[in-house]
Amino acid sequence: MIELQNIKKSFDHGRSFVVSDVSLRVERGQLLGLIGESGSGKTTTLKMINRLEELSSGTILVKNENILLQSPVDLRRSIGYVFQGIGLFPHQTVLNNVAAVPLLLDWDRSLTRLRCEEILEMVGLPIKDFGDRYPSQLSGGQQQRVGVARALAAKQEVLLMDEPFGALDPITRADLQDEFKRIQRNLNLTVIMVTHDMTEALFMADQIAVMKDGEILQIGSPKELLNRPDHDYVKKLIEIPRAKAIRLEELMDSK
Amino acid sequence: MNQNLKEQLVILPDYFQGHLTLTLIALSLGILLSIPLGIWAAQSQSVKRPLLAVISIIQTFPSVAILALIVALLGGQIGVLPAVIALVLYSILPIARNTVTGLDSVPSDVMEAAKGIGMSSTQVLVKVKLPLAIPVIIAGIRTAAVWTVGLATLSTLVGATSFGNYIFTGLQTRNLVAVTVGSIAAATMAIVLDALIAGVQWIVENRNKSIEPSKYRLIRNSTAGMLLIFCIGTVYSILPKSEPDFVVGGKGFTEQYVIAGLLAAELKESGFDVEQRLGLGTEIVYSATVNNTVDVYLEYTGTVWANRMKNSHNPGRELVMQGVTEFVEQVDGMVNVGALGFQNLYALAMRKDRALELGIETIEDVIPVAHNLVAAGDLEFFGRPEWITLRDTYDIDFSERLTFDAALMYNALDDRQVDLITAYTSDGRVAAFDLKILEDPRNAFLPYDGILVASHSASKNPTFMRVLKSLIGQISDEEMREANRIVDVDGGSIMDAVAYLQSAID
């Protein structure tokens, strides 16, 4: 569904590479967690998929089509994107935020409204209670639910998420992670989710790609990563949730 | 109610209409021009800096200079057009700058989202950036509105009616009631307009916040109400007015206001619809008459002789008159209807008793005693060519030459602190202090005969010309002095002075 072949990105005409030679494949209905620290190139990789950044070299196929053969605007309208900063339009109601892409695609008004109603219901914000509110009247968790609804309103099958739950408090984050996983399964969405939180990746992803300094160190299922980390950095990354789990058990037993 | 105040309030609707028209036309054009400029500037850094720099430089030009330059560029046209152009130029800065600021301050995550969901750059601008920048842009419009209302008072100087007519006439004729009425009217208009735009701004800013609905409705409805009243005012003020038959012009001092008032009154008696445009600069009223925007005004032969014809010699009253008539008619295509009878020129004046005591009738009589006399001049006289000519023509100098503010100069003469002063022959204070004007047999002072200059187009109307001609030779130095005295010394109104002149003529 999404295929990256030897993609590279340089911001200084080839002297250095933020992303150097990344290849990966995400099958339909799969969620790939792209994990790494700041500056590892994970967000740049994500942005190249919907051409918010242009490739320096390599090929990207989305639904078997080369993205460079489509206009950036059309490409972006066909791919859902959940932004790190949420980026809701503060001057528009929840309903209009969600309806943004269908309206750009000239959907019929009543069809758009039906779809928005459906998708808002799905993210737990019934249109009759939330449709007419403005983003400033919502909590952070509710805002990101709207962000997810906006990304899915035009029936996008491919979704890119850039640290979507990073700014939320832990309880809200856990709730949203669960709900999103449910939605993703129900709609059979193909997702690449950038995160720096290994626990999040382990719980949500079907495949995890670990990035460092513009390269992918290892790709595998959560189980494979946990059992056979083939790199010190990967080992270190999965030690963190593991160590936390052990420490929690100790605390509970230490009565 | 005070008679003066009543007279001022009678003309309020006219001035209000003029001021509102100027403000609204200028502000609307300013908005239409500045927002696209601001958008253009915000799109690229290489446009932004130079454009904002140019706009800021326009702002630093003195407003009176801008007005004069625009009149010159329009070939001497006065009235609403040059005033509106100047006001529009001044309104660009706050609106364009706020447009740039508003567009630049849209949060980057919102911009990224707009682009990322697939908006084209035009859609990003129209659907996201502009709506978010609107409160800031409105704040700029608010600033521009207050500036425009204030600056519109200067439109009077180029012949566009505004509350400035109150202020400039009032300052020149020492009518503080008029100045106060004009200032309060302009301030009120600025406050109302500011409140109106503030209401719009509040609504725009709070449309997507949780505000108590009753409060929101209250502010929204009162703003809508004010807006409605303003729209009605706008429609009323831009409805085409009946063009006057003739426009009487005038410069900015008492005598000019009085003669313009007289001309207007006489023309109205003959059934014409007359408009007055007063307080104009010498250059402006002259060129406005050349291009037929003004139909008649009071000019002085010496002014045309020296300022426009660039002459420095003085061939005497007759020849100056002849030369000026030829120049005005043959070079500039206007008509010199004739001299009203009085002059307004520099002259030496003394207390009558002191002149009698020294046996002085003319300046020649001063020569033998000059070294014993103290002379006082206004702030500029001893620096002007008139003084050099006077000194050389009569070969006189005084024991002391003092410089005074004009008002203090007359008092100093009255208190016998000085023997002799430089006065204007038609100054009302010459009459008030009962002074003797010394004759000038050697023509040291340029003649300043008051003449009526009529525009080419108006001079074709025989009735118009007959009315003007009936005034020629009718107003003596003494009568003009008395008319000026009524306003300047007694605090009477222009209409009082006009009534006096009409009775003197009949």
Side-chain angles (χ1 to χ4, degrees):
Chain A
M1 196 68 171
I2 306 174
E3 191 168 354
L4 278 54
Q5 299 167 347
N6 308 100
I7 63 163
K8 294 184 181 184
K9 178 67 184 179
S10 170
F11 288 105
D12 51 11
H13 306 287
R15 256 169 289 161
S16 66
F17 286 88
V18 178
V19 175
S20 48
D21 203 24
V22 164
S23 297
L24 56 81
R25 221 183 129 80
V26 189
E27 302 298 340
R28 176 183 288 275
Q30 295 273 296
L31 192 156
L32 176 102
L34 193 57
I35 187 165
E37 57 200 25
S38 310
S40 60
K42 57 189 194 303
T43 293
T44 307
T45 304
L46 197 71
K47 284 182 174 175
M48 282 190 284
I49 300 172
N50 81 345
R51 297 184 66 180
L52 279 173
E53 297 290 352
E54 294 290 2
L55 286 165
S56 295
S57 75
T59 308
I60 296 178
L61 304 177
V62 175
K63 295 186 232 172
N64 291 323
E65 279 187 61
N66 187 333
I67 59 164
L68 293 183
L69 300 178
Q70 306 171 49
S71 85
V73 166
D74 290 340
L75 176 74
R76 288 174 198 145
R77 289 174 187 176
S78 71
I79 298 177
Y81 203 117
V82 180
F83 302 89
Q84 185 175 12
I86 307 180
L88 296 182
F89 305 133
H91 59 297
Q92 292 183 350
T93 60
V94 166
L95 177 60
N96 283 330
N97 266 283
V98 175
V101 182
L103 292 179
L104 288 174
L105 292 169
D106 280 330
W107 278 25
D108 175 78
R109 288 254 157 197
S110 54
L111 184 68
T112 303
R113 188 175 164 95
L114 277 176
R115 174 62 183 167
C116 290
E117 205 169 331
E118 180 185 24
I119 202 80
L120 278 168
E121 191 70 45
M122 204 183 294
V123 299
L125 301 173
I127 196 166
K128 65 177 191 326
D129 297 329
F130 292 92
D132 292 334
R133 295 212 202 167
Y134 285 92
S136 60
Q137 297 167 313
L138 302 178
S139 70
Q142 290 169 331
Q143 287 185 21
Q144 194 54 295
R145 285 165 194 264
V146 177
V148 171
R150 175 173 67 180
L152 297 175
K155 300 199 165 166
Q156 292 92 335
E157 298 170 308
V158 172
L159 192 59
L160 306 176
M161 305 174 92
D162 189 0
E163 305 207 22
F165 312 121
L168 306 177
D169 65 85
I171 294 175
T172 311
R173 184 192 306 190
D175 283 351
L176 262 174
Q177 285 168 346
D178 284 350
E179 281 184 52
F180 179 74
K181 191 63 196 167
R182 180 177 49 79
I183 292 168
Q184 186 248 331
R185 288 216 181 95
N186 287 345
L187 298 179
N188 201 28
L189 299 170
T190 309
V191 181
I192 297 183
M193 180 175 77
V194 161
T195 177
H196 60 257
D197 177 356
M198 190 47 130
T199 317
E200 183 170 81
L202 287 170
F203 285 143
M204 293 183 72
D206 302 299
Q207 294 278 312
I208 295 173
V210 180
M211 268 191 94
K212 190 170 196 302
D213 300 330
E215 287 176 28
I216 293 185
L217 298 181
Q218 186 177 0
I219 301 186
S221 66
K223 202 170 173 183
E224 281 169 338
L225 250 65
L226 284 167
N227 294 331
R228 279 179 278 109
D230 59 7
H231 204 283
D232 282 350
Y233 179 71
V234 180
K235 211 177 279 174
K236 225 191 285 173
L237 272 182
I238 58 173
E239 272 312 312
I240 301 166
R242 211 197 284 270
K244 273 187 191 160
I246 292 169
R247 177 93 185 102
L248 275 176
E249 266 174 44
E250 282 173 2
L251 276 172
M252 288 197 288
D253 293 344
S254 66
K255 281 213 170 154
Chain B
M1 194 171 25
N2 177 304
Q3 182 60 32
N4 185 358
L5 182 59
K6 212 183 269 173
E7 267 182 35
Q8 302 308 325
L9 293 182
V10 167
I11 42 181
L12 185 68
D14 252 11
Y15 290 2
F16 171 79
Q17 187 179 351
H19 203 96
L20 189 63
T21 310
L22 284 173
T23 304
L24 293 180
I25 294 177
L27 201 56
S28 315
L29 291 177
I31 293 168
L32 288 180
L33 191 67
S34 314
I35 294 180
L37 273 180
I39 292 171
W40 185 42
Q43 300 292 36
S44 91
Q45 208 66 30
S46 59
V47 177
K48 191 196 303 185
R49 283 170 176 277
L51 190 72
L52 288 182
V54 169
I55 296 172
S56 305
I57 288 169
I58 294 176
Q59 205 77 19
T60 62
F61 272 54
S63 27
V64 178
I66 289 257
L67 281 168
L69 285 173
I70 292 169
V71 169
L73 286 176
L74 293 175
Q77 185 173 357
I78 62 167
V80 174
L81 184 65
V84 164
I85 294 176
L87 292 175
V88 168
L89 284 177
Y90 276 101
S91 71
I92 293 176
L93 181 68
I95 304 176
R97 192 169 50 194
N98 277 40
T99 304
V100 173
T101 310
L103 292 174
D104 281 354
S105 57
V106 173
S108 58
D109 60 331
V110 174
M111 291 287 295
E112 185 180 43
K115 198 176 163 195
I117 66 165
M119 286 189 185
S120 67
S121 47
T122 314
Q123 286 168 330
V124 173
L125 178 68
V126 174
K127 293 181 176 230
V128 178
K129 290 180 82 173
L130 274 178
L132 289 176
I134 274 179
V136 186
I137 297 175
I138 293 179
I141 293 175
R142 216 175 136 184
T143 309
V146 174
W147 284 7
T148 305
V149 172
L151 278 169
T153 54
L154 294 179
S155 308
T156 298
L157 299 175
V158 292
T161 304
S162 74
F163 290 135
N165 290 33
Y166 278 129
I167 296 171
F168 287 101
T169 313
L171 285 176
Q172 285 303 328
T173 61
R174 289 162 228 206
N175 186 340
L176 283 183
V177 174
V179 176
T180 311
V181 170
S183 308
I184 291 176
T188 308
M189 186 180 280
I191 290 167
V192 171
L193 197 55
D194 185 60
L196 175 64
I197 303 173
V200 174
Q201 192 181 6
W202 189 90
I203 290 169
V204 172
E205 272 173 8
N206 290 289
R207 75 208 136 148
N208 47 13
K209 298 210 182 87
S210 33
I211 298 287
E212 208 186 309
S214 61
K215 186 181 171 194
Y216 186 85
R217 269 202 303 274
L218 176 72
I219 295 185
R220 190 194 56 197
N221 293 345
S222 46
T223 304
M226 278 197 289
L227 204 60
L228 185 71
I229 293 170
F230 233 83
C231 289
I232 294 170
T234 314
V235 170
Y236 166 71
S237 69
I238 58 179
L239 280 178
K241 281 169 279 182
S242 60
E243 276 286 304
D245 298 319
F246 296 108
V247 175
V248 174
K251 308 181 193 187
F253 48 90
T254 305
E255 184 169 296
Q256 289 276 337
Y257 287 109
V258 172
I259 295 298
L262 175 68
L263 292 171
E266 295 288 321
L267 288 169
K268 274 180 194 159
E269 267 176 34
S270 300
F272 291 121
D273 183 15
V274 182
E275 190 180 307
Q276 295 187 49
R277 295 205 181 156
L278 308 179
L280 305 173
T282 294
E283 292 297 314
I284 289 174
V285 70
Y286 189 94
S287 36
T289 311
V290 171
N291 81 8
N292 299 308
T293 340
V294 163
D295 293 311
V296 61
Y297 78 104
L298 168 64
E299 184 55 279
Y300 304 98
T301 50
T303 306
V304 179
W305 182 259
N307 294 7
R308 298 211 69 96
M309 300 167 67
K310 312 283 178 207
N311 288 316
S312 52
H313 64 292
N314 179 4
R317 200 167 167 179
E318 308 277 301
L319 288 176
V320 168
M321 175 69 79
Q322 204 180 319
V324 166
T325 305
E326 272 171 26
F327 183 83
V328 161
E329 298 192 345
Q330 278 154 34
V331 178
D332 286 327
M334 301 182 287
V335 172
N336 175 5
V337 183
L340 290 173
F342 64 90
Q343 288 203 75
N344 181 359
L345 52 76
Y346 267 121
L348 296 182
M350 300 181 76
R351 282 179 63 107
K352 277 190 174 154
D353 52 356
R354 183 74 171 137
L356 201 65
E357 183 187 319
L358 295 171
I360 293 175
E361 281 290 327
T362 74
I363 302 177
E364 280 177 341
D365 302 331
V366 176
I367 302 172
V369 291
H371 58 278
N372 288 324
L373 298 180
V374 178
D378 63 26
L379 296 176
E380 53 182 88
F381 181 77
F382 292 114
R384 288 177 64 99
E386 275 93 342
W387 162 241
I388 309 293
T389 317
L390 177 72
R391 191 189 61 194
D392 296 350
T393 310
Y394 289 95
D395 192 26
I396 51 172
D397 204 352
F398 302 101
S399 75
E400 267 188 275
R401 294 198 311 260
L402 305 175
T403 297
F404 281 94
D405 172 74
L408 297 176
M409 185 175 75
Y410 284 94
N411 287 324
L413 182 67
D414 202 44
D415 294 348
R416 300 170 186 273
Q417 294 171 37
V418 300
D419 300 298
L420 217 134
I421 62 166
T422 62
Y424 284 109
T425 48
S426 59
D427 194 314
R429 286 167 296 201
V430 171
F433 289 100
D434 195 24
L435 303 182
K436 176 159 190 67
I437 297 279
L438 306 188
E439 280 170 35
D440 174 22
R442 297 186 193 171
N443 290 330
F445 291 112
L446 256 187
Y448 278 77
D449 275 296
I451 56 174
L452 294 181
V453 175
S455 70
H456 179 76
S457 62
S459 69
K460 300 277 179 255
N461 184 315
T463 317
F464 173 82
M465 291 303 278
R466 189 162 44 73
V467 173
L468 298 190
K469 278 179 181 151
S470 72
L471 299 171
I472 298 309
Q474 296 296 310
I475 304 171
S476 67
D477 283 334
E478 288 74 23
E479 284 162 346
M480 193 65 239
R481 235 175 261 158
E482 179 59 20
N484 284 333
R485 190 187 65 79
I486 288 171
V487 177
D488 288 342
V489 181
D490 294 356
S493 71
I494 299 293
M495 288 321 293
D496 294 338
V498 170
Y500 161 77
L501 282 183
Q502 282 179 315
S503 67
I505 291 165
D506 299 336

